[in-house]
Amino acid sequence: MKFSLIARTLLLVLLIGACKPKIDDAQLKTEIVSLGLDTGEIALCRSDNTQFGKVSFDLACSENAKKDFQIGAALLHSFEYPEAEKVFAKIIDQDPHCVMAYWGAAMCNFHPLWEPPSQADLAKGARVIKLARSLVTDQQSRESHWLETIATIYDQWDSLDHKTRVSKFEKASEELYLKYPEDNEAAIFYALALRAASDPKDKTFVKQKKAGEILNAILSKEPDHPGVAHYIIHVYDYPELADLGLKSAMKYASLAAASAHAQHMPSHIFTRLGLWDESIKSNTKSVDAAKCYAENVGIKGHWDEELHGLDYLMYAHLQQGDDASALKEFQYFKTIDEVFPMNAKDAYSFASLPARYAVERKDWKSASQLELVPKGFPWDHYYWERSNIDFARFLGDIHSNNIQDAREHFGQLKMAQQKLADAKDIYKANLVLIQVKAAEGWLNLVEGNKAKAVELMSAAADLEDATEKHPVSPGSIIPARELLGDMYLKTGNLLKALNAYEASLKRNPKKFNSLYGAAYTSEQSGNVDKGIRYYQELIELAKSSGSNRDELTRAEKYIKDHQRSL
């Protein structure tokens, strides 16, 4: 029998593979140590292991490994990556031939909905994949297929961009899902992959809706699964879809009570729906859990999850007009100057909290005097995040008539936008572009170019409506549509101002300043019915906070005066 050259080559490769010497246990132990996996004890604040949620993951490993694997997988589903890695490292140490434990370790270095993994993460994950592949005896086994799915993130990591690798991960996850239709875990991780690969410009939410359908189909079968509830929140974290995630938001925190991230995540939906009391409770628990974790693990400084929770917590207080509680959180936040790990989540919080505290209260003097802190933070790596300080400074200068300083901060915004565009970070470049257009609009307004000012501010609002917020943020420093309402109000166009505030409320329900803007413009235009309705909503919004803002005094007086005359 004659074989072609290609056939002979393939046969030779197969024979070499079949004869490949097995890695011995001593060498395997050495290779495992070289992976650099964290082998410490879980440091989350918990009383027992049931506080991670219930996961049932089928795998071919030792009985002890199977029990631990469920805990590791549950932690993974709540994005507790460092703690999950400890569990998978323990399994690898006790059962070094358990291929799925290597899959878990590799997953811990890929954070699908956070910032892209660092080069160190990618190199580490690639080493894990390489070692795991050497242990696979059957290329058609379920374990091999799971391993090759996550391998798409690490193969050619030094030559393929993150977006391409995420797209490959989505495709591989779909193939795994279709190959094992009875495997709920394959379906759940495919839903996560769909969300990770979704386009922030897609306002039809095709991938998010598909992921939601998959997750909801599993929900009745596994109601206590942390990943199902968690990912439902993520796939519906949009103004148009948020109602669909409320049930899971109400339940998720109780499923994974030991996770600071699980305590925080429901507030994504609460924020979208303007449920401020619920958001405050959620993030108070999250911040407390994050502090406890930092103490248990020995972090020098503060854990990034604490800052993340503080941002959402202060945002909720401000929307209730509760300046006293917001000040308390802000004063505590100002004592924080060291964080771990140092990442984009920290950068955003460090910039957004002071900017938000000043702008939401319309304290323009304080806004104009903001500085980037802490001083030693690597701000040149985080142009979008730091732009929030520059934008707040700009707004402070404009409203304080410091036009020259405003132009300087406008220049800083343009520079940040260009840096991001040059780096091909189009999404974040567009987020800064919204601020650039808004700032240019307000500069035109003070220069007397009203038509151009409105044109630019309208373009900023349209762009923001077409661009979904970043998951790290509870909302922009000030919604562009609300800022457009402020501009119309300043130019005396009450009807268009009201329309702008009402449009802002559709995307940002129960937001204090948009609600007050709608009430005030209704009052000024003589629309008594709307004026009373919006002022009543404002009073209801703040009634649990004990707020004494001037806007509420005006609301009470307006309602009293007009109810008397009706």
Side-chain angles (χ1 to χ4, degrees):
M1 181 181 296
K2 294 183 178 180
F3 293 96
S4 69
L5 177 61
I6 294 176
R8 288 199 304 272
T9 302
L10 287 173
L11 182 61
L12 181 61
V13 169
L14 289 172
L15 289 171
I16 292 173
C19 299
K20 183 175 65 176
K22 301 293 183 184
I23 185 170
D24 62 53
D25 287 345
Q27 184 185 354
L28 181 54
K29 286 286 185 181
T30 301
E31 293 288 344
I32 289 171
V33 171
S34 72
L35 296 177
L37 299 176
D38 190 340
T39 57
E41 291 296 319
I42 298 176
L44 291 173
C45 295
R46 71 202 196 283
S47 59
D48 59 75
N49 289 341
T50 64
Q51 292 188 333
F52 305 130
K54 295 181 181 178
V55 175
S56 180
F57 214 120
D58 185 30
L59 69 158
C61 297
S62 68
E63 289 304 313
N64 285 338
K66 289 178 182 180
K67 182 179 178 181
D68 286 337
F69 194 92
Q70 311 311 322
I71 297 173
L75 289 168
L76 191 60
H77 280 304
S78 284
F79 294 174
E80 295 290 353
Y81 298 116
E83 302 313 302
E85 182 177 300
K86 293 174 184 177
V87 178
F88 293 124
K90 176 185 174 182
I91 296 171
I92 290 170
D93 181 61
Q94 295 176 349
D95 186 0
H97 291 274
C98 179
V99 173
M100 285 300 291
Y102 296 86
W103 166 87
M107 282 293 296
C108 290
N109 288 275
F110 166 50
H111 313 143
L113 304 187
W114 293 359
E115 61 184 345
S118 66
Q119 288 202 340
D121 290 331
L122 291 168
K124 182 178 178 180
R127 292 196 301 271
V128 171
I129 294 297
K130 181 179 179 181
L131 181 55
R133 278 171 167 162
S134 73
L135 302 174
V136 173
T137 56
D138 180 2
Q139 302 294 333
Q140 297 305 312
S141 67
R142 176 178 172 276
E143 288 79 8
S144 178
H145 292 143
W146 272 91
L147 184 67
E148 292 307 315
T149 298
I150 184 56
T152 55
I153 294 297
Y154 300 105
D155 287 344
Q156 298 175 280
W157 64 266
D158 52 352
S159 59
L160 295 178
D161 63 79
H162 180 67
K163 184 177 180 181
T164 299
R165 288 183 284 111
V166 169
S167 179
K168 288 166 71 71
F169 176 71
E170 178 201 0
K171 180 63 177 174
S173 297
E174 181 183 26
E175 291 173 357
L176 188 72
Y177 163 67
L178 294 174
K179 190 172 187 65
Y180 300 100
E182 301 304 316
D183 187 341
N184 284 347
E185 289 298 318
I188 293 166
F189 277 106
Y190 175 45
L192 176 62
L194 283 166
R195 175 61 183 86
S198 61
D199 184 350
K201 299 190 297 294
D202 176 21
K203 302 300 289 184
T204 64
F205 306 109
V206 171
K207 291 184 179 180
Q208 292 92 327
K209 289 178 180 178
K210 183 176 181 179
E213 290 174 2
I214 292 170
L215 294 167
N216 279 302
I218 299 171
L219 185 60
S220 60
K221 304 172 190 174
E222 298 194 50
D224 295 329
H225 193 293
V228 174
H230 186 186
Y231 305 153
I232 282 176
I233 293 171
H234 274 295
V235 300
Y236 294 142
D237 186 13
Y238 303 90
E240 299 87 343
L241 306 177
D243 278 329
L244 299 173
L246 184 57
K247 185 177 179 180
S248 290
M250 290 295 189
K251 187 173 184 180
Y252 177 41
S254 65
L255 295 180
S259 168
H261 188 69
Q263 298 308 305
H264 157 74
M265 269 308 300
S267 68
H268 280 240
I269 297 298
F270 299 152
T271 298
R272 292 291 196 182
L273 299 175
L275 300 175
W276 306 122
D277 285 336
E278 290 83 353
S279 183
I280 288 166
K281 290 174 186 175
S282 174
N283 285 293
T284 298
K285 290 180 180 179
S286 177
V287 169
D288 288 345
K291 289 177 182 177
C292 180
Y293 174 76
E295 182 179 346
N296 284 358
V297 81
I299 287 175
K300 186 180 179 183
H302 299 256
W303 189 30
D304 63 352
E305 197 70 25
E306 181 186 353
L307 273 71
H308 188 50
L310 279 172
D311 190 19
Y312 276 73
L313 179 57
M314 195 176 76
Y315 185 79
H317 282 311
L318 289 167
Q319 301 322 314
Q320 291 188 321
D322 189 353
D323 296 335
S325 294
L327 176 60
K328 180 181 176 182
E329 301 298 345
F330 185 54
Q331 287 175 331
Y332 169 70
F333 165 75
K334 289 194 294 184
T335 68
I336 299 174
D337 58 8
E338 191 169 5
V339 291
F340 177 86
M342 198 176 288
N343 55 28
K345 192 191 298 184
D346 301 320
Y348 185 84
S349 299
F350 276 132
S352 68
L353 264 86
R356 203 183 302 287
Y357 182 68
V359 171
E360 285 285 348
R361 294 165 42 256
K362 299 189 183 298
D363 183 355
W364 303 123
K365 181 179 179 181
S366 294
S368 67
Q369 296 172 353
L370 290 171
E371 295 182 356
L372 279 171
V373 291
K375 295 294 186 183
F377 199 82
W379 287 109
D380 286 346
H381 295 292
Y382 303 106
Y383 285 102
W384 166 59
E385 292 81 358
R386 66 180 288 175
S387 74
N388 290 308
I389 286 286
D390 286 318
F391 190 51
R393 285 169 172 167
F394 172 86
L395 292 172
D397 290 333
I398 280 290
H399 288 85
S400 303
N401 204 33
N402 300 324
I403 307 307
Q404 189 56 44
D405 289 343
R407 289 195 177 96
E408 179 182 337
H409 294 130
F410 173 57
Q412 292 293 319
L413 289 170
K414 289 176 66 177
M415 182 272 291
Q417 197 275 332
Q418 189 60 55
K419 289 280 188 181
L420 290 164
D422 290 345
K424 300 191 184 327
D425 193 341
I426 304 304
Y427 173 62
K428 289 184 178 179
N430 279 342
L431 292 176
V432 181
L433 183 60
I434 294 164
Q435 296 173 331
V436 169
K437 287 182 178 294
E440 189 176 1
W442 280 86
L443 280 173
N444 271 272
L445 185 65
V446 299
E447 292 166 357
N449 304 321
K450 292 184 180 180
K452 185 65 175 176
V454 169
E455 178 187 338
L456 286 162
M457 192 63 245
S458 297
D462 290 343
L463 180 57
E464 186 167 86
D465 287 348
T467 307
E468 285 305 323
K469 78 170 185 66
H470 194 286
V472 77
S473 167
S476 53
I477 298 306
I478 179 170
R481 196 65 64 181
E482 179 182 297
L483 197 53
L484 176 61
D486 292 347
M487 181 177 283
Y488 278 130
L489 188 59
K490 199 171 185 65
T491 58
N493 196 327
L494 296 177
L495 180 58
K496 287 190 175 181
L498 177 58
N499 290 339
Y501 290 130
E502 289 181 326
S504 177
L505 285 168
K506 286 182 179 179
R507 293 188 64 79
N508 308 280
K510 299 182 183 179
K511 187 175 185 300
F512 190 99
N513 287 327
S514 289
L515 199 53
Y516 177 72
Y520 180 76
T521 49
S522 296
E523 173 192 345
Q524 293 299 303
S525 62
N527 191 332
V528 176
D529 289 342
K530 274 195 174 183
I532 290 176
R533 175 162 63 86
Y534 282 129
Y535 275 134
Q536 284 176 333
E537 286 186 38
L538 193 69
I539 291 170
E540 180 68 21
L541 178 70
K543 75 176 184 179
S544 66
S545 71
S547 174
N548 59 357
R549 280 192 187 179
D550 292 342
E551 292 92 335
L552 295 167
T553 302
R554 185 184 189 96
E556 290 169 354
K557 183 178 184 304
Y558 183 83
I559 292 170
K560 183 179 179 180
D561 289 347
H562 286 80
Q563 283 180 336
R564 190 181 298 154
S565 63
L566 290 176

